[in-house]
Amino acid sequence: MHLLNLGILAHVDAGKTSLTERLLHSAGVIDEIGSVDDGNTRTDTLALERQRGITIKSAVVSFPVDDVTVNLIDTPGHPDFIAEVERVLGVLDGAVLVVSAVEGVQPQTRVLMRTLQRLRIPTLLFVNKIDRRGARYGDLLSSISERLRAAVVPMGSVDGIGTPAAGFRPGLDPGAPAVLADHDDELLAAYVENTVSCDLLRTALATQTRQALVHPVYFGSAITGAGVDALITGIKELLPAAEGDPQGPLSGTVFKVERGPAGEKVAYARMFSGTLRTRDRITFGDAGEEGKVTSISVFDHGTDIGTDSVPAGRIGRLRGLGEIRIGDAIGTPRKAYEHFFAPPTLETVVVPGPDADRRALHLALTQLAEQDPLIGLRHDEVRQETAVSLYGEVQKEVIQATLADEFGVRVTFRETTPLCIERPVCTGAAVEFNKKDANPFLATVGLRIDPAPVGSGVRFALEVELGAMPYAFFKAVEDTVRETLGQGLHGWRVTDCVVTMTHSGYSPRQSHAHQGFDKSMSSTGADFRGLTPLVLVEALRRAGSQVYEPLHRFRVEAPADTLGALLPVLAALRAVPRTTETRGALCVLEGLVPVAQVHGLERQLPGLTRGEGEWESAFDHYAPVTRGTAPERARTDQNPLNRKEYLLNVTRRVA
């Protein structure tokens, strides 16, 4: 039996979850179609999803199509939950991108299609809601081709569009040979000679769809079922089956982690090679941690069933791996875990309610971060505060509701602020020698920090012999360097730099006769971990650091006659239009805007454009903060900027 791991993606409210319900019903997996409005769909299982009528977490459900078993993964449509989509993309064999026949191509549709094309994931398009008043066909096809910059092949025509009786008649569009001939020399020759056969056309369509060169487009309605049978046929015939050798070396990827009823971790993993069995001891993650799989279940006919093994190509739910994290490779890594979307650029401080248990809050936030690694947590022990990074205001509301509903912890949030970064301005160096001056640690550490190209991250290098001291001490320095760079001179993460160790030294192990190891005379890893922040911060102070704020690239489509009202507001919020284009009665503006202003612009846009404006924005780059003083971020470390305070804190911690 063939396997296909299929993702359903869309802009919010395009009807993605309703289509999932219709597919399950058409395949005979469920007897009654659930409704998003009624909160009884198969994939939106969280109480919060059912209350809000949106998908928040990805969900897996399986259904058969003849001899093909489809593992269908329903994903969130709201841009605040793009991290859920990111993790799913790496395990897909194909995708269905849903577009509303009424609203057409939306900002998130464009973001998703660009990513699917970049990853070369074979994708079918399903234009939903053809039974709704205002549904479009001809001009929408042109809009899809133009705005998604995709080669599309209509797979039929629509009767009665915009009425409850709307239907879809399958059949290749007359223009299909011209589109397919662009990528097929044999078909091009037959097209020129007017000898194109149906078999040649079908073969070219299947081949080019599987290579993500063209995208078949189906029209229909998830509510009435129109066009869904044709879509199912396309899923079976045009999308590639899962590949993988069940006898090969073990290799898989974890794309979701949740907690079971008893609080145990349950990992969702796609296997790419080999066969994973219960009671197998496996390695996973970058650190090569080990664990034993205690139980496995796979997806079949709308539910998950217990099994002894999960072979290559399938998705399994694994228990027993207590330290497993999202993105971990199981066995042999297939490839480095990639980020397809930008990380969060906003941060807010969680404020516990008057009756909230701080330990319970800490545990709850830690568990949420396990399920969503892009929710970064920063704990400030001095102020007893926790900050979370996030994508937007809706995500903040969902975190608040989740903490209340699932963990019984009521919280509020401070104002959302942008997440800045720091980069070194020039080169700086510092050194402290063992048993000299005011160095209280039995260690010599010299470090130099140099600027590096944008996007290069942090690199650690050595200018001393690796054998000059025990490797564990070098490792302690490197690990502490990376940790210390989490908070620069202004409190922001320092990146795009090379830190080089220029000096090293230690006190060899000392012991007395008839006595054991003398810690007061011998260097330990703690000495290097204690001294490194002081040296690194001094080197950074001499180099200087510049604070950079995140900028979004934006695209606004609005009526041309509203431009006069829109431009002054954009200017007041520090948005910089780069291009302006007029398309009939519409005007398209593209430019850059500080991320701190995006939410305010989104709220004002409907009023400025009579409700007709469309906003799309995404992270573009970091730019130097040039207005006013550089923003500061409260420190959560031992504050190596203040030597006296730092030494007191470290001494107190060690004691």
Side-chain angles (χ1 to χ4, degrees):
M1 179 176 281
H2 292 297
L3 291 164
L4 169 63
N5 296 297
L6 178 72
I8 304 286
L9 297 87
H11 185 90
V12 68
D13 290 336
K16 174 177 42 60
T17 301
S18 298
L19 177 60
T20 299
E21 290 290 308
R22 176 60 69 174
L23 289 170
L24 296 177
H25 183 265
S26 298
V29 170
I30 57 176
D31 298 325
E32 186 177 346
I33 296 175
S35 165
V36 174
D37 292 336
D38 294 339
N40 58 356
T41 58
R42 181 61 62 98
T43 52
D44 284 349
T45 55
L46 298 178
L48 194 57
E49 290 178 316
R50 294 178 169 178
Q51 289 168 15
R52 288 175 168 258
I54 61 172
T55 302
I56 297 170
K57 296 289 183 184
S58 58
V60 184
V61 66
S62 178
F63 65 89
V65 180
D66 297 333
D67 63 340
V68 178
T69 294
V70 179
N71 285 327
L72 189 152
I73 309 175
D74 186 17
T75 62
H78 198 285
D80 278 14
F81 307 108
I82 197 70
E84 281 290 318
V85 180
E86 173 177 274
R87 292 188 285 275
V88 168
L89 289 174
V91 304
L92 296 182
D93 302 306
V96 174
L97 181 62
V98 184
V99 180
S100 168
V102 180
E103 288 83 11
V105 174
Q106 299 289 291
Q108 187 74 348
T109 319
R110 289 159 51 89
V111 171
L112 293 170
M113 191 61 175
R114 281 197 299 265
T115 308
L116 290 165
Q117 289 176 319
R118 189 168 78 246
L119 299 176
R120 302 193 69 80
I121 295 174
T123 303
L124 310 180
L125 279 82
F126 183 76
V127 180
N128 191 26
K129 304 183 181 180
I130 63 170
D131 58 322
R132 290 266 302 274
R133 181 182 297 178
R136 298 170 290 145
Y137 177 73
D139 66 323
L140 181 56
L141 268 175
S142 301
S143 174
I144 289 173
S145 177
E146 178 187 344
R147 299 194 62 196
L148 296 184
R149 297 179 182 176
V152 297
V153 178
M155 299 300 291
S157 57
V158 179
D159 297 322
I161 191 161
T163 69
F168 180 72
R169 284 189 292 120
L172 266 181
D173 187 82
V179 176
L180 295 170
D182 282 346
H183 308 285
D184 188 322
D185 291 342
E186 181 185 356
L187 181 59
L188 178 60
Y191 180 63
V192 171
E193 296 169 5
N194 200 25
T195 59
V196 177
S197 67
C198 290
D199 287 343
L200 182 60
L201 208 55
R202 280 196 296 267
T203 301
L205 177 64
T207 300
Q208 294 184 33
T209 301
R210 289 169 184 164
Q211 294 174 347
L213 296 173
V214 301
H215 306 285
V217 182
Y218 297 84
F219 282 74
S221 168
I223 299 300
T224 67
V228 173
D229 287 342
L231 174 65
I232 291 175
T233 301
I235 290 171
K236 174 191 171 185
E237 296 180 352
L238 300 178
L239 294 179
E243 297 179 350
D245 179 9
Q247 307 304 320
L250 190 68
S251 179
T253 299
V254 176
F255 66 92
K256 176 177 177 176
V257 173
E258 64 183 17
R259 293 276 176 173
E264 76 281 14
K265 276 190 181 180
V266 182
Y268 288 64
R270 156 78 190 268
M271 302 307 299
F272 292 98
S273 175
T275 299
L276 180 61
R277 297 175 174 84
T278 53
R279 294 182 294 280
D280 278 356
R281 289 201 68 85
I282 61 171
T283 59
F284 55 86
D286 295 336
E289 297 190 59
E290 289 192 359
K292 184 168 120 176
V293 179
T294 57
S295 75
I296 297 174
S297 58
V298 295
F299 298 91
D300 193 25
H301 283 76
T303 186
D304 61 310
I305 56 174
T307 183
D308 292 331
S309 63
V310 52
R314 296 208 76 157
I315 290 173
R317 298 175 81 232
L318 316 178
R319 283 181 165 84
L321 307 174
E323 301 303 317
I324 198 118
R325 295 177 298 274
I326 289 171
D328 278 353
I330 292 175
T332 305
R334 178 168 168 262
K335 59 181 180 179
Y337 183 67
E338 296 180 71
H339 288 299
F340 310 125
F341 303 106
T345 52
L346 299 171
E347 185 179 65
T348 184
V349 173
V350 183
V351 181
D355 301 324
D357 184 333
R358 290 182 179 272
R359 286 177 296 182
L361 173 61
H362 179 83
L363 178 62
L365 287 171
T366 302
Q367 290 194 13
L368 286 181
E370 284 176 357
Q371 297 170 29
D372 187 348
L374 293 183
I375 296 180
L377 299 181
R378 294 178 71 247
H379 299 292
D380 186 339
E381 298 297 337
V382 176
R383 298 172 183 80
Q384 292 294 298
E385 292 178 348
T386 300
V388 297
S389 56
L390 37 79
Y391 280 99
E393 297 299 315
V394 172
Q395 187 183 13
K396 184 164 72 172
E397 293 169 12
V398 167
I399 292 173
Q400 184 179 33
T402 302
L403 290 172
D405 297 345
E406 295 187 19
F407 298 95
V409 180
R410 301 198 175 278
V411 301
T412 56
F413 296 95
R414 291 192 192 148
E415 184 181 359
T416 304
T417 56
L419 271 172
C420 300
I421 63 169
E422 294 181 46
R423 291 187 176 119
V425 175
C426 57
T427 296
V431 60
E432 295 211 20
F433 293 97
N434 186 7
K435 300 177 182 176
K436 286 189 178 180
D437 302 324
N439 179 7
F441 301 101
L442 294 177
T444 294
V445 173
L447 296 171
R448 184 179 70 246
I449 187 166
D450 297 288
V454 172
S456 61
V458 174
R459 187 167 68 86
F460 183 76
L462 294 177
E463 280 186 0
V464 293
E465 292 290 336
L466 192 56
M469 63 181 185
Y471 174 74
F473 294 163
F474 286 112
K475 187 70 169 64
V477 172
E478 179 177 358
D479 290 347
T480 308
V481 162
R482 296 186 184 279
E483 181 183 347
T484 304
L485 290 178
Q487 301 180 66
L489 302 182
H490 301 277
W492 306 103
R493 177 176 62 90
V494 181
T495 188
D496 300 334
C497 61
V498 179
V499 177
T500 305
M501 190 168 184
T502 58
H503 297 75
S504 67
Y506 73 109
S507 295
R509 182 182 179 92
Q510 300 288 330
S511 59
H512 300 289
H514 311 297
Q515 293 181 8
F517 169 60
D518 188 344
K519 183 178 178 181
S520 66
M521 299 173 60
S522 313
S523 297
T524 65
D527 288 301
F528 288 90
R529 288 190 294 272
L531 180 60
T532 297
L534 289 174
V535 178
L536 181 59
V537 164
E538 182 57 32
L540 184 60
R541 203 194 311 260
R542 293 174 182 177
S545 72
Q546 169 77 55
V547 177
Y548 290 70
E549 64 178 340
L551 295 187
H552 273 204
R553 61 182 179 276
F554 72 85
R555 184 178 190 275
V556 177
E557 279 192 18
D561 61 354
T562 65
L563 195 60
L566 189 58
L567 285 174
V569 175
L570 289 173
L573 294 176
R574 296 166 54 204
V576 181
R578 295 288 178 87
T579 62
T580 306
E581 181 184 353
T582 302
R583 299 176 183 172
L586 277 181
C587 181
V588 179
L589 283 175
E590 294 186 356
L592 296 171
V593 59
V595 71
Q597 310 297 340
V598 169
H599 185 55
L601 275 169
E602 288 176 328
R603 285 185 302 181
Q604 293 188 52
L605 189 66
L608 294 168
T609 61
R610 302 191 299 271
E612 299 177 47
E614 183 182 288
W615 173 272
E616 175 187 344
S617 72
F619 172 78
D620 189 77
H621 69 282
Y622 288 94
V625 175
T626 55
R627 292 192 179 187
T629 57
E632 300 282 332
R633 187 192 202 191
R635 305 192 72 86
T636 60
D637 58 8
Q638 305 295 334
N639 192 18
L641 288 173
N642 184 321
R643 186 183 183 93
K644 183 177 180 181
E645 178 186 338
Y646 173 81
L647 292 175
L648 284 173
N649 287 334
V650 170
T651 303
R652 190 180 303 117
R653 185 178 62 181
V654 171

